[in-house]
Amino acid sequence: VDNPPQITISCPQCASILNLGDVVSVTVSATDALGLDQLYLKVAGEQPIRQDLFYSCGGATACSHIWDITLNYAGTNLSSGDWTFWGNAIDTAGQWGSYASTLVQDVFDFNLSVSPNFGSINQGQSISTTASAGLLSSATRIISFSASGLPSGASASFSPTSCNPACNSTVTINTSSFAPSGTYPITIKGKNGNLVRTAAYNLTVNTTDTTQP
């Protein structure tokens, strides 16, 4: 009697709170007295995300393979249990085993916006806006703020410098009297680990009129 392959699947990191963009290692193992043709891993995220991955066992009676899977998802509102890994195997007679599965318990995600998203000041002045971080999924985790794209002679500060979504931070941009005039696209960033969300802010610096009336 050709019994079907026996399947196990493991993912030690899947019990942790993870970020979108994190990498998890998923191991599928199988045994079969007749010999194994292929291992199979189905990665099922928020639909329509799906990957079908295979590994050749070459007729071995015991076979194991580790896949490193990046949790990427282009949309929003990813919630607990939306990522499931299904493992199986097919033997050399073409017989499949019974699926084994494991799921990601939580995937942390947040969004970021800035309001107002533009401002105009003279050289030497300061301006403020509000960065708002919203919690999309999982338990909240701390994010830190930063800014890039500032002109020379300008700096940005945040109060608070970090927070747990849902939360706000006041962004203050200071310019020196020597900051070059023009309009600058500023990128406001929120970051936790390798998960980064951004929002755009347009800053216009006007030349200070120093001529006497």
Side-chain angles (χ1 to χ4, degrees):
V1 177
D2 178 22
N3 293 317
Q6 300 299 302
I7 317 297
T8 60
I9 188 170
S10 66
C11 175
Q13 301 121 302
C14 289
S16 306
I17 296 177
L18 299 164
N19 288 343
L20 287 182
D22 282 352
V23 177
V24 297
S25 296
V26 182
T27 303
V28 176
S29 302
T31 58
D32 186 88
L34 187 64
L36 294 158
D37 181 24
Q38 293 185 97
L39 297 178
Y40 169 61
L41 177 66
K42 179 174 73 173
V43 181
E46 185 77 11
Q47 296 301 321
I49 303 299
R50 174 173 165 169
Q51 290 177 278
D52 295 286
L53 305 171
F54 295 89
Y55 176 76
S56 177
C57 295
T61 56
C63 187
S64 181
H65 185 70
I66 300 173
W67 281 276
D68 291 326
I69 306 297
T70 302
L71 302 177
N72 284 331
Y73 176 57
T76 59
N77 199 30
L78 192 69
S79 60
S80 175
D82 282 339
W83 286 85
T84 305
F85 303 106
W86 300 85
N88 208 334
I90 184 171
D91 65 18
T92 53
Q95 184 172 208
W96 287 88
S98 298
Y99 278 95
S101 67
T102 186
L103 59 83
V104 175
Q105 297 294 329
D106 276 299
V107 179
F108 171 67
D109 194 17
F110 68 99
N111 58 19
L112 188 66
S113 61
V114 175
S115 181
N117 60 3
F118 64 93
S120 179
I121 54 174
N122 292 333
Q123 293 165 318
Q125 292 183 334
S126 300
I127 194 169
S128 294
T129 187
T130 300
S132 300
L135 181 65
L136 293 180
S137 63
S138 181
T140 187
R141 303 177 74 178
I142 193 165
I143 63 170
S144 58
F145 295 101
S146 63
S148 61
L150 294 158
S152 60
S155 63
S157 61
F158 295 84
S159 181
T161 57
S162 59
C163 64
N164 292 71
C167 58
N168 297 325
S169 178
T170 300
V171 187
T172 302
I173 299 175
N174 300 294
T175 63
S176 72
S177 58
F178 303 103
S181 61
T183 298
Y184 302 92
I186 310 300
T187 300
I188 306 300
K189 298 178 183 178
K191 185 176 188 295
N192 177 284
N194 59 9
L195 177 62
V196 178
R197 294 288 180 255
T198 62
Y201 179 84
N202 284 325
L203 172 69
T204 298
V205 179
N206 303 304
T207 301
T208 303
D209 187 1
T210 59
T211 60
Q212 297 297 319

